[in-house]
Amino acid sequence: MNLPGKHYLAALVWIVLFGIAYVVIDAQLQPKVATAESAGEIVIPRSRDGHFYVAGKINGQPVTFMVDTGASTVSVNSALAGRLGLPRGRPVAIGTAGGMTQGEEVVGQTVMLGGITVREVRIVVLAGMPGEALLGQNVLRHLEVLQTAERMILRRKPD
């Protein structure tokens, strides 16, 4: 093989190696999204970004929630609200970590986390919200929430 051919082969090998490294690192940085392993309990590992993510549903449609114990209500961005087919809500002013903003309040929705169902949930739709969905206190108050440094456990409260 001549010298230019060896250079092209070496470049191709390096491109493949960097591509594999990128895929592996990207997979490691993605949030760890927990799903329910039993009907009444969900164990959520802390993601590399420090947050806890859980797979759930709003009105039967899949949603990945970031658990936000400081949020009063379940919140979704407007793109997700459109995909979920949420109806238009009444305009509301909402206090967020970034200050006051305008949103829409949609009432009477159903949130499911594994086998745990919470009905008649108020959801706030925020146009500029980063991320898709926050799981707030209006759902979390129906659950036992236990948190350690590396995991969070959500349990159905005893009836």
Side-chain angles (χ1 to χ4, degrees), residues 3-16:
L3 189 59
K6 289 180 181 179
H7 285 258
Y8 288 126
L9 180 61
L12 180 63
V13 168
W14 280 111
I15 289 170
V16 169

Side-chain angles (χ1 to χ4, degrees), residues 2-84:
N2 61 14
L3 189 59
K6 289 180 181 179
H7 285 258
Y8 288 126
L9 180 61
L12 180 63
V13 168
W14 280 111
I15 289 170
V16 169
L17 289 174
F18 280 121
I20 291 169
Y22 173 81
V23 169
V24 169
I25 291 169
D26 186 56
Q28 291 295 316
L29 295 177
Q30 293 299 315
K32 298 175 188 175
V33 179
T35 56
E37 294 180 16
S38 70
E41 181 175 289
I42 303 166
V43 178
I44 309 169
R46 183 182 298 274
S47 288
R48 293 180 68 83
D49 65 1
H51 297 291
F52 297 95
Y53 297 89
V54 62
K57 294 181 180 181
I58 294 176
N59 298 336
Q61 300 293 317
V63 175
T64 298
F65 291 101
M66 183 179 82
V67 180
D68 187 348
T69 57
S72 300
T73 60
V74 171
S75 302
V76 299
N77 66 27
S78 54
L80 178 59
R83 282 199 317 272
L84 296 173

